[in-house]
């Protein structure tokens, strides 16, 4: 399996079992996914192991997104969780937590996984790399389009389409762990934000900071 074939699988598969059946091929392509297999997230919010959750996130995406890399990023968005598992800081619950796994995951992909794939003959443009790192590193960003702070942070990192893709991936992620009311609210909020983003053109996007 190569990266193109992996993305095609994520675009076309209808059930997680279709992807899971090829986990050995995926592990051969990206060995860093192996710790995700069967990994117990030890959280009431999660109904699947880390691998199946990640597969479900990728499959929950619309099949017609133009940017292939959103599917790649969705599969790897939680890849750093096994390195970040800790008890809740204040001991208020028995769930395990994963502080900073989004940023560490982006770093792993940027500094380990992409260079490894390139050494094996895969091709990534600088634009591709920037998009992948953005999607993974920001997948827990709070989508507050009414604040200048959020806009300024993101408008210099990503295009309008990429921000829309990020919100869409957050919806897919939440739907893959729909075990709490907060996630249903997250989905509703992000669906609204996707519709809002779609109303803007690139010129309007660059002017947002002046009137929000």
């Amino acid at each position: 399996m190569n990266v193109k074939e992996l993305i095609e699988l994520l675009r076309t598969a209808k059930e997680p079992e279709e992807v899971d059946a090829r986990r050995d091929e995926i592990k051969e392509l990206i060995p860093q996914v192996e710790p995700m297999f069967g990994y117990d997230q030890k959280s009431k919010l999660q109904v699947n192991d880390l691998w199946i959750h990640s597969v479900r996130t990728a499959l929950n995406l619309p099949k017609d997104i133009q940017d292939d890399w959103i599917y790649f990023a969705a599969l790897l968005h939680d890849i750093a969780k096994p390195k970040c598992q800790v008890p809740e800081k204040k001991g208020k619950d028995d769930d395990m937590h994963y502080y900073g796994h989004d940023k560490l995951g982006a770093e792993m992909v940027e500094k380990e996984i992409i260079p490894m794939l390139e050494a094996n003959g895969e091709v990534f443009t600088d634009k591709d790399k920037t998009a992948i790192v953005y999607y993974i590193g920001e997948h827990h960003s709070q989508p507050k389009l009414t604040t200048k702070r959020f806009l300024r942070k993101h408008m210099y990192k990503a295009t309008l389409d990429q921000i829309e893709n990020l919100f869409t991936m957050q919806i897919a992620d939440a739907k893959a762990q729909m075990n709490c009311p907060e996630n249903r609210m997250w989905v509703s909020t992000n669906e609204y934000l996707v519709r809002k983003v779609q109303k803007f053109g690139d010129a309007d996007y660059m002017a947002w900071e002046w009137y929000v």
Side-chain angles (χ1 to χ4, degrees):
M1 178 180 289
N2 57 36
V3 170
K4 182 178 180 180
E5 291 169 339
L6 172 59
I7 291 171
E8 183 63 19
L9 174 63
L10 297 174
R11 276 190 179 275
T12 58
K14 295 181 180 179
E15 299 295 335
E17 291 77 11
E18 297 175 57
V19 179
D20 190 47
R22 301 184 67 181
R23 66 158 65 178
D24 288 340
E25 295 176 69
I26 298 171
K27 182 183 72 172
E28 185 175 355
L29 177 68
I30 308 172
Q32 291 89 341
V33 302
E34 186 173 12
M36 300 167 70
F37 299 162
Y39 186 85
D40 183 358
Q41 301 187 69
K42 298 181 181 179
S43 170
K44 294 185 290 291
L45 303 181
Q46 301 290 348
V47 295
N48 298 114
D49 69 48
L50 180 58
W51 171 247
I52 296 301
H53 163 73
S54 300
V55 171
R56 286 188 181 277
T57 298
L59 299 194
N60 283 343
L61 290 167
K63 301 300 185 182
D64 59 351
I65 298 177
Q66 290 187 356
D67 187 357
D68 285 342
W69 300 114
I70 191 66
Y71 301 94
F72 184 81
L75 184 67
L76 302 181
H77 76 284
D78 281 343
I79 196 165
K81 273 192 169 183
K83 295 185 177 185
C84 296
Q85 188 186 78
V86 294
E88 200 274 328
K89 287 181 177 179
K90 297 182 180 179
K92 293 182 178 180
D93 60 55
D94 296 328
D95 286 352
M96 300 304 286
H97 294 260
Y98 302 89
Y99 306 112
H101 75 274
D102 46 355
K103 305 304 182 188
L104 180 58
E107 182 178 337
M108 287 176 61
V109 170
E110 181 179 22
K111 296 183 178 179
E112 298 177 27
I113 294 176
I114 290 177
M116 176 201 66
L117 291 170
E118 288 181 317
N120 292 334
E122 300 286 351
V123 177
F124 296 83
T125 67
D126 288 344
K127 183 179 178 180
D128 297 338
K129 297 174 188 178
T130 298
I132 295 166
V133 170
Y134 172 73
Y135 293 143
I136 296 175
E138 299 294 338
H139 78 266
H140 275 302
S141 290
Q142 295 294 319
K144 296 177 181 178
L145 283 179
T146 56
T147 67
K148 288 185 179 182
R149 182 178 179 183
F150 178 89
L151 288 175
R152 284 178 172 157
K153 176 182 177 182
H154 286 259
M155 69 190 299
Y156 297 112
K157 289 184 176 183
T159 66
L160 188 61
D161 286 342
Q162 288 168 344
I163 292 177
E164 180 183 339
N165 291 343
L166 175 67
F167 291 161
T168 302
M169 189 175 84
Q170 290 175 331
I171 292 170
D173 187 14
K175 286 182 175 179
Q177 54 175 14
M178 288 289 281
N179 206 26
C180 69
E182 288 83 358
N183 279 350
R184 289 189 286 274
M185 184 178 298
W186 181 275
V187 169
S188 178
T189 299
N190 276 48
E191 287 176 342
Y192 164 76
L193 290 168
V194 168
R195 292 193 299 270
K196 187 172 181 179
V197 168
Q198 289 171 342
K199 292 181 179 179
F200 287 85
D202 288 334
D204 293 321
Y205 168 58
M206 295 307 294
W208 277 359
E209 65 170 324
W210 301 114
Y211 62 78
V212 294

